[in-house]
């Protein structure tokens, strides 16, 4: 499964299950729409760090990096490339 | 999982205990009665580098890991009966952690040496008169005016607030955004125009800890005083709470250990109906429960600290630890008063002060009710 799909699947099942949203586009706003709240962001970061074996640094903990599936995927891709020495 | 400590950590804990017993021997009953901050004891702790333990040596810190810092707080909670002082130290360290993680290099150079030396007292201001557990619904506003920000609002119950030299203030910078993107963090220093530090609030416990209201009335904030980026405040808040809930309970465990030992000693000495009261199951069961709480609390506390040292998140573990240990502390102190009978209710035996102090632990840093909510959310509920 691609990084993007893995992230989307987590958001759909763990953060959106109760809201009954049928689909989530890559560019859909997650923070401004309230899909990810202050709790959701902690759950998401725990998931990302565990699933992709990455550590998100302080200067990366900005809302912009989590505003859409696309942006989160880009962050993860960048971090995993770094950890692989690419 | 290996929860054993290194020889150095064990030695450090012993050293802190010895220091606290010998050097933090002020008349606590008097300070407690007057609600006075023990500034001399603060300075002694600073000289011992307790305030700067986890920070890099280039900033004047001790370069220790998080578990070691937790262990020092644990030793202080055990050997220093002034929970207010221990809490003030933890708050200073917590502010330093935020600066270390989110501050610019310039801000680290400017503030971290003062965090470590204790020459300046730090506070973080989140809570407001109308927002406690729902902290991110704050109303304080920092408005950009072209040259910097103008800060307006009121913060409440701020630990170290009345005596702080530097306050990390959380305020709304973009009210149109949700909490995660609309809140920012800035440094406000004593003497800034429009910044007023009110008198300490009188409390039932933690009386030496100075908590108070901070008022910001068109307080100008230079752009360089923003910590992190604009809109990062919600993220900083989350991180800060996780750190705090991971290490403050370590001090509570120290207090629980002291209270347990005091209670065991009394239960052995005190005779009733021809035998030690510890021989009665209604008393010994209480002591056994106290021991169980202490040992189980250690497991979750050291686990959370170990996770942080591994660079991992401990959101769930820190919430469980904060909830479990603070409630256990309160129950342990209540049981200790009961075991001591009439003497436990007197100020002379000092157990009643531990009980008064313990109640606050279930309120600050997110109430027990809030921790239940966080844990429930983690369960997908």
């Amino acid at each position: 499964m691609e990084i993007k799909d893995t992230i989307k699947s987590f958001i759909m099942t763990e953060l959106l299950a109760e809201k009954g949203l049928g689909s989530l586009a890559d560019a859909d706003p997650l923070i401004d729409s309230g899909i990810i709240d202050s709790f959701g962001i902690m759950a998401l970061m725990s998931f990302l760090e565990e699933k992709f074996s990455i550590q998100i640094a302080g200067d990366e903990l900005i809302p912009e990096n989590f505003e859409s599936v696309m942006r989160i995927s880009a962050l993860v891709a960048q971090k995993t490339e770094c950890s692989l020495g690419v | 999982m290996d929860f054993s400590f290194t020889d150095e950590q064990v030695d450090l804990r012993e050293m802190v205990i010895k220091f606290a017993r010998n050097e933090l021997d002020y008349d606590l009953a008097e300070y407690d009665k007057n609600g006075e901050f023990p500034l001399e004891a603060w300075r002694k702790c600073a000289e011992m580098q307790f305030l700067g333990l986890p920070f890099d040596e280039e900033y004047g810190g001790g370069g220790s890991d998080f578990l070691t810092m937790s262990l020092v707080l644990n030793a202080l909670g055990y050997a220093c009966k002034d929970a207010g002082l221990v809490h003030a130290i933890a708050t200073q360290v917590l502010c330093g952690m935020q600066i270390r993680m989110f501050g610019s290099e310039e801000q680290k150079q400017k503030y971290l040496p003062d965090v470590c030396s204790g020459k300046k007292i730090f506070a973080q201001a989140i809570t407001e008169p109308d927002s406690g557990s729902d902290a991110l619904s704050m109303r304080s506003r920092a408005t950009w005016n072209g040259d910097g920000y103008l800060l307006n609002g009121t913060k409440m119950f701020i630990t170290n607030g009345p005596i702080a030299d530097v306050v990390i203030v959380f305020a709304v910078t973009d009210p149109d955004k949700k909490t995660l993107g609309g809140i920012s963090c800035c440094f406000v220093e004593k003497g800034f125009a429009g910044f007023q530090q009110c008198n300490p609030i009188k409390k039932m416990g933690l009386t030496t800890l100075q908590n108070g209201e901070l008022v910001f009335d068109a307080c100008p904030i230079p752009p360089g005083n923003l910590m992190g980026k604009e809109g990062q405040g919600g993220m900083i808040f989350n991180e800060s709470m996780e750190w705090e809930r991971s290490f403050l309970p370590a001090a509570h465990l120290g207090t629980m250990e002291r209270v347990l030992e005091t209670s065991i000693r009394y239960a052995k000495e005190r005779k009733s109906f021809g035998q030690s009261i510890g021989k009665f199951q209604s008393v010994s069961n209480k002591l056994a429960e106290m021991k169980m709480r202490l040992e189980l609390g250690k497991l979750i506390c050291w686990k959370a600290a170990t996770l942080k040292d591994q660079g991992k998140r401990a959101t769930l573990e820190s919430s469980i630890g904060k909830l479990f240990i603070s409630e256990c502390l309160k129950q342990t102190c209540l049981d200790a008063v009961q075991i001591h009978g009439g003497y436990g209710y007197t100020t002379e035996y000092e157990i009643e002060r531990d009980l008064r102090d313990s109640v606050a632990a279930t309120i600050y840093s997110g109430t027990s009710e809030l921790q239940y909510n966080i844990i429930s959310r983690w369960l997908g509920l």
Side-chain angles (χ1 to χ4, degrees):
Chain A
M1 197 184 278
E2 272 189 48
I3 291 175
K4 204 167 54 180
D5 296 328
T6 306
I7 294 167
K8 200 182 288 186
S9 169
F10 174 80
I11 294 171
M12 291 294 290
T13 54
E14 300 297 326
L15 304 180
L16 271 176
E18 292 286 311
K19 298 183 182 174
L21 203 68
S23 63
L24 181 65
D26 294 352
D28 280 351
L30 299 174
I31 291 179
D32 286 346
S33 64
I35 289 173
I36 295 180
D37 59 10
S38 61
F39 169 81
I41 194 73
M42 299 304 284
L44 176 64
M45 287 193 294
S46 294
F47 168 77
L48 296 175
E49 293 188 344
E50 181 88 22
K51 182 75 183 174
F52 299 106
S53 301
I54 57 171
Q55 284 182 20
I56 303 171
D59 58 359
E60 294 164 332
L61 285 175
I62 51 174
E64 290 80 357
N65 278 338
F66 301 90
E67 67 183 13
S68 66
V69 170
M70 206 158 51
R71 292 296 299 266
I72 301 167
S73 305
L75 175 69
V76 171
Q78 178 202 330
K79 303 283 300 177
T80 49
E81 278 173 15
C82 285
S83 64
L84 291 171
V86 178
Chain B
M1 190 174 276
D2 182 10
F3 287 110
S4 59
F5 296 107
T6 64
D7 290 345
E8 289 78 14
Q9 287 171 324
V10 172
D11 289 346
L12 177 63
R13 186 175 189 274
E14 286 306 309
M15 185 273 287
V16 175
I17 289 170
K18 197 172 168 186
F19 161 82
R21 284 177 175 157
N22 291 336
E23 300 295 330
L24 306 179
D25 57 349
Y26 46 95
D27 185 354
L28 179 53
E30 198 62 22
Y31 278 80
D32 181 32
K33 192 172 76 179
N34 298 331
E36 189 180 344
F37 183 67
L39 192 57
E40 190 53 36
W42 168 271
R43 288 182 180 134
K44 285 181 179 177
C45 289
E47 283 169 17
M48 292 297 290
Q49 223 175 31
F50 297 159
L51 310 180
L53 212 56
F55 306 114
D56 289 345
E57 291 174 13
E58 66 173 294
Y59 304 113
S64 296
D65 58 22
F66 190 75
L67 183 60
T68 303
M69 181 68 224
S70 299
L71 205 58
V72 167
L73 279 180
N74 175 259
L76 285 172
Y78 174 72
C80 172
K81 293 179 180 176
D82 187 355
L85 173 65
V86 179
H87 194 111
I89 291 169
T91 298
Q92 179 94 344
V93 174
L94 183 69
C95 289
M97 286 176 161
Q98 292 178 39
I99 297 166
R100 179 179 66 179
M101 190 165 186
F102 297 102
S104 65
E105 187 51 43
E106 193 181 345
Q107 289 167 343
K108 289 178 196 174
Q109 298 279 357
K110 181 178 180 184
Y111 294 120
L112 280 181
D114 287 335
V115 169
C116 298
S117 69
K119 284 179 185 161
K120 288 188 176 174
I121 295 177
F122 285 70
Q124 64 164 353
I126 300 168
T127 302
E128 297 188 354
D130 295 321
S131 60
S133 290
D134 186 15
L136 297 181
S137 68
M138 62 182 62
R139 294 180 185 170
S140 290
R141 283 286 307 273
T143 311
W144 180 256
N145 68 354
D147 298 321
Y149 295 90
L150 271 187
L151 180 60
N152 284 286
T154 302
K155 296 291 180 180
M156 186 55 109
F157 305 130
I158 303 308
T159 294
N160 291 351
I163 55 173
D165 299 290
V166 182
V167 185
I168 299 172
V169 182
F170 289 70
V172 176
T173 42
D174 187 346
D176 294 331
K177 288 194 172 176
K178 297 281 180 180
T179 53
L180 276 178
I183 292 172
S184 302
C185 248
C186 60
F187 294 100
V188 175
E189 298 179 24
K190 187 192 276 286
F192 273 23
F195 172 39
Q196 186 193 351
Q197 296 165 280
C198 300
N199 290 331
I201 296 165
K202 290 189 189 306
K203 313 186 292 293
M204 72 178 280
L206 292 178
T207 53
T208 62
L209 186 69
Q210 307 297 293
N211 294 80
E213 191 175 11
L214 303 179
V215 180
F216 307 94
D217 181 12
C219 175
I221 311 292
N225 278 34
L226 192 70
M227 184 165 75
K229 294 184 177 171
E230 185 172 304
Q232 202 179 1
M235 300 280 203
I236 296 174
F237 170 79
N238 277 343
E239 291 296 312
S240 174
M241 285 297 106
E242 188 173 312
W243 290 107
E244 184 169 86
R245 290 168 193 157
S246 294
F247 79 171
L248 252 181
H252 303 154
L253 289 170
T255 306
M256 285 163 65
E257 189 174 348
R258 169 167 48 79
V259 169
L260 172 60
E261 287 178 3
T262 305
S263 300
I264 291 171
R265 203 159 45 240
Y266 186 80
K268 285 179 177 174
E269 289 169 4
R270 176 74 177 180
K271 301 286 191 293
S272 189
F273 301 102
Q275 59 182 347
S276 303
I277 60 169
K279 293 292 178 190
F280 295 108
Q281 281 188 334
S282 54
V283 172
S284 62
N285 282 0
K286 280 189 174 61
L287 293 163
E289 291 271 0
M290 288 158 83
K291 178 66 172 168
M292 282 163 52
R293 292 183 207 120
L294 175 62
E295 294 304 322
L296 292 172
K298 283 180 186 174
L299 293 179
I300 190 68
C301 190
W302 304 148
K303 181 182 179 184
T306 302
L307 284 170
K308 298 308 290 178
D309 273 334
Q310 291 170 346
K312 294 179 179 171
R313 300 215 159 263
T315 313
L316 178 61
E317 290 79 3
S318 63
S319 271
I320 292 173
K322 199 276 177 187
L323 170 60
F324 181 74
I325 295 168
S326 63
E327 291 292 339
C328 284
L329 172 67
K330 188 166 69 176
Q331 189 59 52
T332 290
C333 292
L334 198 56
D335 285 347
V337 168
Q338 193 69 24
I339 289 168
H340 281 75
Y343 292 109
Y345 201 64
T346 66
T347 55
E348 184 189 345
Y349 273 62
E350 298 188 298
I351 301 281
E352 59 82 32
R353 186 176 54 238
D354 286 319
L355 175 59
R356 284 188 284 117
D357 292 344
S358 73
V359 176
T362 64
I363 297 172
Y364 57 65
S365 190
T367 60
S368 290
E369 289 75 13
L370 183 70
Q371 305 312 317
Y372 278 115
N373 284 350
I374 293 171
I375 296 164
S376 300
R377 283 285 303 269
W378 213 264
L379 298 175
L381 301 171

